[in-house]
Amino acid sequence: MKISKSIERSINILEAISESQGGLTLGEIQEMFLIPKSSAFDIIQTLLYTDMISVVEGIQKKYIIGLKSFQIGLSYENDMLKLAKKHLKTLAEKLNKTIFLGIIKDGEVIYLDKSEPKSPIITTATLGTRNPVHCTGLGKIILSRYTNRDIEKILLEKGMPKRTKYTLTNPEEFITEIEKIRVQGYAIDNRELEENMLCISTPILDKNKKIIAAISASGFYNKHENISENVEIMKNFALEISREIGYKL
């Protein structure tokens, strides 16, 4: 199959802009992709013309995701939600926990969908709720795809408010935990957001094997809970959702 290198490079630049905090300058894009400034400029102008990116004026021009990219993203999220819904319901009943599907937007976790068991557990999170990334399972597992530098930018911008006595508030300790999460493939919010709640979260991957969202299972903290067993169940359900949106092993 013949691949257009210029289109591939444009897509890679678009992805880098979407994953940055506050946008990227032309110089940063050039340095990141090791391409001539003229080539980077031509790609940026094309993306601007098609509304895939927008420019933020300042001391240095920065490029951020544009309206067209946002619209495409919303369409993709809607398709993902439709495919995931049946799995969330089954998982809620299997684990007897409240199941969430969420993403990171503007440095915060947003809950896109929620499914409860027959005997629901009361949580403060509702659809559309935003929560910090540093004390949520969803936030931590999705952040594991980010570079440490980008994570530090988010923490600097959003802060690390202490929600409970278990909340991590030290950036270095948090980065250490993220590095552990990258290896194990799941994240845990152990009473870090809400005092008596434990949350297990596993990633949803796209066809490029990138984390685009995550699911979480929330329930009352129980020191006797078989976390390892529940993690494996969560991983299997997240894998099934990932496969339905194009992921392949």
Side-chain angles (χ1 to χ4, degrees):
M1 180 174 62
K2 187 175 181 181
I3 301 293
S4 169
K5 291 297 182 183
S6 62
I7 293 176
E8 182 183 25
R9 183 177 289 169
S10 299
I11 292 171
N12 290 338
I13 289 174
L14 190 59
E15 287 181 337
I17 291 171
S18 73
E19 293 175 0
S20 69
Q21 293 302 307
L24 295 174
T25 66
L26 181 61
E28 287 172 330
I29 293 168
Q30 178 190 2
E31 182 180 345
M32 188 178 296
F33 292 95
L34 301 175
I35 56 177
K37 192 171 184 178
S38 59
S39 298
F41 179 81
D42 288 344
I43 291 171
I44 289 299
Q45 291 304 305
T46 302
L47 293 174
L48 282 170
Y49 178 76
T50 55
D51 287 332
M52 296 298 286
I53 62 172
S54 301
V55 63
V56 177
E57 299 288 350
I59 297 174
Q60 286 185 304
K61 284 184 179 180
K62 285 201 169 187
Y63 301 97
I64 61 173
I65 284 297
L67 178 60
K68 183 63 69 175
S69 292
F70 183 69
Q71 290 171 336
I72 292 171
L74 283 178
S75 176
Y76 185 80
E77 285 172 10
N78 286 335
D79 289 343
M80 178 177 64
L81 287 173
K82 290 175 185 176
L83 291 170
K85 188 170 285 292
K86 64 179 183 292
H87 296 293
L88 302 188
K89 184 175 179 60
T90 302
L91 185 57
E93 295 299 337
K94 187 175 184 67
L95 295 180
N96 195 33
K97 294 178 182 290
T98 299
I99 308 299
F100 291 98
L101 186 150
I103 60 171
I104 288 179
K105 181 76 174 174
D106 299 326
E108 295 176 306
V109 170
I110 300 180
Y111 300 94
L112 299 181
D113 205 353
K114 175 181 180 180
S115 189
E116 294 180 319
K118 291 176 181 177
S119 301
I121 299 160
I122 297 173
T123 66
T124 59
T126 57
L127 296 187
T129 298
R130 289 175 178 256
N131 268 321
V133 291
H134 72 289
C135 56
T136 54
L138 288 170
K140 288 191 279 187
I141 190 64
I142 299 174
L143 279 184
S144 68
R145 82 166 196 186
Y146 288 50
T147 65
N148 288 351
R149 181 182 177 187
D150 282 339
I151 293 171
E152 288 165 357
K153 285 181 181 179
I154 292 175
L155 298 180
L156 183 63
E157 179 185 346
K158 298 294 183 179
M160 299 181 71
K162 193 173 183 67
R163 300 292 289 264
T164 74
K165 64 182 179 182
Y166 301 103
T167 307
L168 281 177
T169 57
N170 181 293
E172 290 183 5
E173 291 179 3
F174 185 76
I175 294 294
T176 298
E177 181 169 357
I178 292 296
E179 289 172 348
K180 178 182 175 183
I181 290 167
R182 288 180 182 133
V183 174
Q184 65 191 23
Y186 68 91
I188 292 180
D189 153 19
N190 189 358
R191 298 166 288 171
E192 298 159 53
L193 179 66
E194 299 182 60
E195 192 75 39
N196 299 310
M197 304 295 291
L198 184 138
C199 170
I200 300 169
S201 189
T202 50
I204 295 173
L205 296 90
D206 66 9
K207 65 180 181 180
N208 297 314
K209 300 186 178 181
K210 289 189 175 182
I211 299 174
I212 56 167
I215 55 174
S216 67
S218 296
F220 289 118
Y221 172 76
N222 177 356
K223 65 180 180 180
H224 301 298
E225 178 176 348
N226 191 332
I227 291 177
S228 296
E229 181 180 322
N230 288 341
V231 163
E232 289 308 308
I233 293 171
M234 292 285 295
K235 282 184 174 181
N236 288 334
F237 271 82
L239 179 59
E240 192 60 35
I241 296 170
S242 299
R243 283 173 172 162
E244 290 196 15
I245 60 173
Y247 170 76
K248 293 181 180 179
L249 290 173

PDB file of all heavy atoms in Angstrom, residues 64-83:
ATOM      1  N   ILE A  64      -3.504  25.675  17.847  1.00  0.00           N
ATOM      2  CA  ILE A  64      -4.345  24.784  18.641  1.00  0.00           C
ATOM      3  C   ILE A  64      -5.356  24.089  17.722  1.00  0.00           C
ATOM      4  O   ILE A  64      -5.489  24.451  16.553  1.00  0.00           O
ATOM      5  CB  ILE A  64      -5.100  25.556  19.749  1.00  0.00           C
ATOM      6  CG1 ILE A  64      -6.013  26.618  19.123  1.00  0.00           C
ATOM      7  CG2 ILE A  64      -4.137  26.190  20.733  1.00  0.00           C
ATOM      8  CD1 ILE A  64      -6.936  27.326  20.104  1.00  0.00           C
ATOM      9  N   ILE A  65      -6.053  23.103  18.264  1.00  0.00           N
ATOM     10  CA  ILE A  65      -7.058  22.373  17.486  1.00  0.00           C
ATOM     11  C   ILE A  65      -8.168  23.330  17.033  1.00  0.00           C
ATOM     12  O   ILE A  65      -8.648  24.160  17.796  1.00  0.00           O
ATOM     13  CB  ILE A  65      -7.646  21.227  18.331  1.00  0.00           C
ATOM     14  CG1 ILE A  65      -6.642  20.081  18.398  1.00  0.00           C
ATOM     15  CG2 ILE A  65      -8.949  20.718  17.775  1.00  0.00           C
ATOM     16  CD1 ILE A  65      -6.324  19.454  17.062  1.00  0.00           C
ATOM     17  N   GLY A  66      -8.588  23.179  15.771  1.00  0.00           N
ATOM     18  CA  GLY A  66      -9.611  24.047  15.207  1.00  0.00           C
ATOM     19  C   GLY A  66     -10.998  23.442  15.230  1.00  0.00           C
ATOM     20  O   GLY A  66     -11.197  22.296  15.663  1.00  0.00           O
ATOM     21  N   LEU A  67     -11.962  24.195  14.744  1.00  0.00           N
ATOM     22  CA  LEU A  67     -13.366  23.801  14.787  1.00  0.00           C
ATOM     23  C   LEU A  67     -13.610  22.495  14.036  1.00  0.00           C
ATOM     24  O   LEU A  67     -14.334  21.616  14.512  1.00  0.00           O
ATOM     25  CB  LEU A  67     -14.239  24.913  14.192  1.00  0.00           C
ATOM     26  CG  LEU A  67     -15.745  24.638  14.122  1.00  0.00           C
ATOM     27  CD1 LEU A  67     -16.312  24.392  15.517  1.00  0.00           C
ATOM     28  CD2 LEU A  67     -16.464  25.802  13.439  1.00  0.00           C
ATOM     29  N   LYS A  68     -13.027  22.351  12.848  1.00  0.00           N
ATOM     30  CA  LYS A  68     -13.273  21.148  12.051  1.00  0.00           C
ATOM     31  C   LYS A  68     -12.777  19.893  12.775  1.00  0.00           C
ATOM     32  O   LYS A  68     -13.462  18.861  12.795  1.00  0.00           O
ATOM     33  CB  LYS A  68     -12.591  21.274  10.691  1.00  0.00           C
ATOM     34  CG  LYS A  68     -12.852  20.107   9.748  1.00  0.00           C
ATOM     35  CD  LYS A  68     -14.331  19.997   9.393  1.00  0.00           C
ATOM     36  CE  LYS A  68     -14.788  21.136   8.517  1.00  0.00           C
ATOM     37  NZ  LYS A  68     -16.199  20.979   8.076  1.00  0.00           N
ATOM     38  N   SER A  69     -11.607  19.968  13.386  1.00  0.00           N
ATOM     39  CA  SER A  69     -11.085  18.829  14.148  1.00  0.00           C
ATOM     40  C   SER A  69     -12.009  18.502  15.319  1.00  0.00           C
ATOM     41  O   SER A  69     -12.254  17.337  15.637  1.00  0.00           O
ATOM     42  CB  SER A  69      -9.680  19.133  14.677  1.00  0.00           C
ATOM     43  OG  SER A  69      -8.756  19.216  13.622  1.00  0.00           O
ATOM     44  N   PHE A  70     -12.502  19.554  15.979  1.00  0.00           N
ATOM     45  CA  PHE A  70     -13.399  19.363  17.108  1.00  0.00           C
ATOM     46  C   PHE A  70     -14.679  18.650  16.673  1.00  0.00           C
ATOM     47  O   PHE A  70     -15.160  17.729  17.339  1.00  0.00           O
ATOM     48  CB  PHE A  70     -13.731  20.711  17.738  1.00  0.00           C
ATOM     49  CG  PHE A  70     -14.600  20.622  18.968  1.00  0.00           C
ATOM     50  CD1 PHE A  70     -14.111  20.086  20.147  1.00  0.00           C
ATOM     51  CD2 PHE A  70     -15.905  21.065  18.921  1.00  0.00           C
ATOM     52  CE1 PHE A  70     -14.913  19.992  21.264  1.00  0.00           C
ATOM     53  CE2 PHE A  70     -16.720  20.987  20.044  1.00  0.00           C
ATOM     54  CZ  PHE A  70     -16.218  20.444  21.228  1.00  0.00           C
ATOM     55  N   GLN A  71     -15.210  19.052  15.526  1.00  0.00           N
ATOM     56  CA  GLN A  71     -16.434  18.432  15.011  1.00  0.00           C
ATOM     57  C   GLN A  71     -16.207  16.967  14.667  1.00  0.00           C
ATOM     58  O   GLN A  71     -17.042  16.107  14.957  1.00  0.00           O
ATOM     59  CB  GLN A  71     -16.923  19.202  13.781  1.00  0.00           C
ATOM     60  CG  GLN A  71     -17.477  20.585  14.106  1.00  0.00           C
ATOM     61  CD  GLN A  71     -17.748  21.417  12.854  1.00  0.00           C
ATOM     62  OE1 GLN A  71     -17.159  21.183  11.801  1.00  0.00           O
ATOM     63  NE2 GLN A  71     -18.640  22.391  12.980  1.00  0.00           N
ATOM     64  N   ILE A  72     -15.074  16.668  14.057  1.00  0.00           N
ATOM     65  CA  ILE A  72     -14.737  15.280  13.738  1.00  0.00           C
ATOM     66  C   ILE A  72     -14.591  14.469  15.023  1.00  0.00           C
ATOM     67  O   ILE A  72     -15.058  13.332  15.121  1.00  0.00           O
ATOM     68  CB  ILE A  72     -13.438  15.212  12.911  1.00  0.00           C
ATOM     69  CG1 ILE A  72     -13.669  15.826  11.515  1.00  0.00           C
ATOM     70  CG2 ILE A  72     -12.938  13.769  12.772  1.00  0.00           C
ATOM     71  CD1 ILE A  72     -12.413  16.010  10.705  1.00  0.00           C
ATOM     72  N   GLY A  73     -13.949  15.072  16.027  1.00  0.00           N
ATOM     73  CA  GLY A  73     -13.771  14.407  17.307  1.00  0.00           C
ATOM     74  C   GLY A  73     -15.086  14.078  17.980  1.00  0.00           C
ATOM     75  O   GLY A  73     -15.268  12.992  18.535  1.00  0.00           O
ATOM     76  N   LEU A  74     -16.033  15.015  17.922  1.00  0.00           N
ATOM     77  CA  LEU A  74     -17.354  14.775  18.521  1.00  0.00           C
ATOM     78  C   LEU A  74     -18.066  13.616  17.839  1.00  0.00           C
ATOM     79  O   LEU A  74     -18.692  12.778  18.490  1.00  0.00           O
ATOM     80  CB  LEU A  74     -18.214  16.038  18.424  1.00  0.00           C
ATOM     81  CG  LEU A  74     -17.922  17.174  19.408  1.00  0.00           C
ATOM     82  CD1 LEU A  74     -18.836  18.357  19.126  1.00  0.00           C
ATOM     83  CD2 LEU A  74     -18.086  16.712  20.846  1.00  0.00           C
ATOM     84  N   SER A  75     -17.973  13.560  16.514  1.00  0.00           N
ATOM     85  CA  SER A  75     -18.598  12.474  15.762  1.00  0.00           C
ATOM     86  C   SER A  75     -17.993  11.138  16.154  1.00  0.00           C
ATOM     87  O   SER A  75     -18.698  10.148  16.344  1.00  0.00           O
ATOM     88  CB  SER A  75     -18.421  12.723  14.259  1.00  0.00           C
ATOM     89  OG  SER A  75     -18.929  11.645  13.514  1.00  0.00           O
ATOM     90  N   TYR A  76     -16.674  11.119  16.307  1.00  0.00           N
ATOM     91  CA  TYR A  76     -15.982   9.889  16.687  1.00  0.00           C
ATOM     92  C   TYR A  76     -16.389   9.446  18.092  1.00  0.00           C
ATOM     93  O   TYR A  76     -16.639   8.266  18.347  1.00  0.00           O
ATOM     94  CB  TYR A  76     -14.479  10.111  16.626  1.00  0.00           C
ATOM     95  CG  TYR A  76     -13.662   8.864  16.882  1.00  0.00           C
ATOM     96  CD1 TYR A  76     -13.467   7.922  15.881  1.00  0.00           C
ATOM     97  CD2 TYR A  76     -13.090   8.632  18.131  1.00  0.00           C
ATOM     98  CE1 TYR A  76     -12.731   6.778  16.108  1.00  0.00           C
ATOM     99  CE2 TYR A  76     -12.351   7.487  18.368  1.00  0.00           C
ATOM    100  CZ  TYR A  76     -12.168   6.572  17.352  1.00  0.00           C
ATOM    101  OH  TYR A  76     -11.438   5.444  17.596  1.00  0.00           O
ATOM    102  N   GLU A  77     -16.470  10.425  19.027  1.00  0.00           N
ATOM    103  CA  GLU A  77     -16.861  10.110  20.400  1.00  0.00           C
ATOM    104  C   GLU A  77     -18.270   9.540  20.443  1.00  0.00           C
ATOM    105  O   GLU A  77     -18.551   8.599  21.202  1.00  0.00           O
ATOM    106  CB  GLU A  77     -16.763  11.357  21.276  1.00  0.00           C
ATOM    107  CG  GLU A  77     -15.323  11.728  21.636  1.00  0.00           C
ATOM    108  CD  GLU A  77     -15.233  13.072  22.329  1.00  0.00           C
ATOM    109  OE1 GLU A  77     -16.288  13.623  22.704  1.00  0.00           O
ATOM    110  OE2 GLU A  77     -14.111  13.573  22.507  1.00  0.00           O
ATOM    111  N   ASN A  78     -19.171  10.096  19.626  1.00  0.00           N
ATOM    112  CA  ASN A  78     -20.553   9.592  19.600  1.00  0.00           C
ATOM    113  C   ASN A  78     -20.600   8.143  19.136  1.00  0.00           C
ATOM    114  O   ASN A  78     -21.336   7.319  19.688  1.00  0.00           O
ATOM    115  CB  ASN A  78     -21.421  10.468  18.690  1.00  0.00           C
ATOM    116  CG  ASN A  78     -21.740  11.812  19.318  1.00  0.00           C
ATOM    117  OD1 ASN A  78     -21.729  11.947  20.543  1.00  0.00           O
ATOM    118  ND2 ASN A  78     -22.018  12.804  18.496  1.00  0.00           N
ATOM    119  N   ASP A  79     -19.805   7.817  18.113  1.00  0.00           N
ATOM    120  CA  ASP A  79     -19.744   6.437  17.626  1.00  0.00           C
ATOM    121  C   ASP A  79     -19.191   5.510  18.704  1.00  0.00           C
ATOM    122  O   ASP A  79     -19.689   4.406  18.908  1.00  0.00           O
ATOM    123  CB  ASP A  79     -18.871   6.353  16.371  1.00  0.00           C
ATOM    124  CG  ASP A  79     -19.536   6.994  15.157  1.00  0.00           C
ATOM    125  OD1 ASP A  79     -20.758   7.203  15.199  1.00  0.00           O
ATOM    126  OD2 ASP A  79     -18.826   7.299  14.181  1.00  0.00           O
ATOM    127  N   MET A  80     -18.147   5.978  19.396  1.00  0.00           N
ATOM    128  CA  MET A  80     -17.541   5.184  20.460  1.00  0.00           C
ATOM    129  C   MET A  80     -18.540   4.940  21.591  1.00  0.00           C
ATOM    130  O   MET A  80     -18.641   3.832  22.124  1.00  0.00           O
ATOM    131  CB  MET A  80     -16.301   5.890  21.012  1.00  0.00           C
ATOM    132  CG  MET A  80     -15.623   5.147  22.163  1.00  0.00           C
ATOM    133  SD  MET A  80     -14.119   5.990  22.723  1.00  0.00           S
ATOM    134  CE  MET A  80     -14.793   7.537  23.327  1.00  0.00           C
ATOM    135  N   LEU A  81     -19.308   5.956  21.940  1.00  0.00           N
ATOM    136  CA  LEU A  81     -20.294   5.822  23.015  1.00  0.00           C
ATOM    137  C   LEU A  81     -21.350   4.783  22.668  1.00  0.00           C
ATOM    138  O   LEU A  81     -21.752   3.976  23.512  1.00  0.00           O
ATOM    139  CB  LEU A  81     -20.962   7.171  23.288  1.00  0.00           C
ATOM    140  CG  LEU A  81     -20.109   8.214  24.010  1.00  0.00           C
ATOM    141  CD1 LEU A  81     -20.834   9.547  24.069  1.00  0.00           C
ATOM    142  CD2 LEU A  81     -19.750   7.757  25.406  1.00  0.00           C
ATOM    143  N   LYS A  82     -21.807   4.798  21.420  1.00  0.00           N
ATOM    144  CA  LYS A  82     -22.820   3.830  20.985  1.00  0.00           C
ATOM    145  C   LYS A  82     -22.295   2.404  21.095  1.00  0.00           C
ATOM    146  O   LYS A  82     -22.999   1.500  21.544  1.00  0.00           O
ATOM    147  CB  LYS A  82     -23.244   4.132  19.544  1.00  0.00           C
ATOM    148  CG  LYS A  82     -24.048   5.407  19.381  1.00  0.00           C
ATOM    149  CD  LYS A  82     -24.315   5.701  17.907  1.00  0.00           C
ATOM    150  CE  LYS A  82     -25.022   7.034  17.735  1.00  0.00           C
ATOM    151  NZ  LYS A  82     -25.189   7.375  16.294  1.00  0.00           N
ATOM    152  N   LEU A  83     -21.039   2.195  20.680  1.00  0.00           N
ATOM    153  CA  LEU A  83     -20.445   0.866  20.712  1.00  0.00           C
ATOM    154  C   LEU A  83     -20.168   0.407  22.141  1.00  0.00           C
ATOM    155  O   LEU A  83     -20.271  -0.775  22.463  1.00  0.00           O
ATOM    156  CB  LEU A  83     -19.136   0.853  19.905  1.00  0.00           C
ATOM    157  CG  LEU A  83     -19.280   1.009  18.391  1.00  0.00           C
ATOM    158  CD1 LEU A  83     -17.924   1.228  17.754  1.00  0.00           C
ATOM    159  CD2 LEU A  83     -19.938  -0.220  17.790  1.00  0.00           C
TER     160      LEU A  83
END
